[in-house]
Amino acid sequence: MKIEKEAEIILEKFREALQDIPELEETQYIVDNVNLTRPDCGKDKNPEKILRNAEVDENGNVIAEKGKWVK
């Protein structure tokens, strides 16, 4: 009962607050930008930059985890 009364009070305050908001018409935009695409562009791949963060052994080989088969 207490929760219902509190909910009614909240809704009444909300209804009163909404009365101050003026009525507005919708704004519609008509544009010819249908199905726009951007040209494909790859990022520059700098192997030296990639290898900087890789774990390397004493022979200079990159140490990576071997892929696991998923059942």
Side-chain angles (χ1 to χ4, degrees):
M1 291 293 275
K2 183 179 178 183
I3 294 175
E4 290 176 2
K5 288 183 182 180
E6 289 176 359
E8 288 178 12
I9 293 170
I10 291 170
L11 287 174
E12 182 63 29
K13 288 181 181 179
F14 185 65
R15 185 186 63 79
E16 290 172 3
L18 288 177
Q19 289 179 348
D20 298 335
I21 298 175
E23 296 273 336
L24 298 174
E25 291 186 27
E26 291 183 19
T27 304
Q28 298 180 357
Y29 299 96
I30 299 174
V31 293
D32 294 332
N33 301 352
V34 181
N35 295 331
L36 290 179
T37 58
R38 61 175 172 78
D40 287 337
C41 55
K43 294 182 179 179
D44 292 336
K45 297 179 182 172
N46 184 353
E48 295 166 357
K49 187 175 182 181
I50 294 170
L51 290 175
R52 224 181 299 157
N53 292 326
E55 190 175 342
V56 182
D57 66 3
E58 61 276 350
N59 296 329
N61 300 318
V62 175
I63 300 173
E65 182 178 337
K66 184 176 180 181
K68 298 177 182 175
W69 288 97
V70 179
K71 292 183 180 183

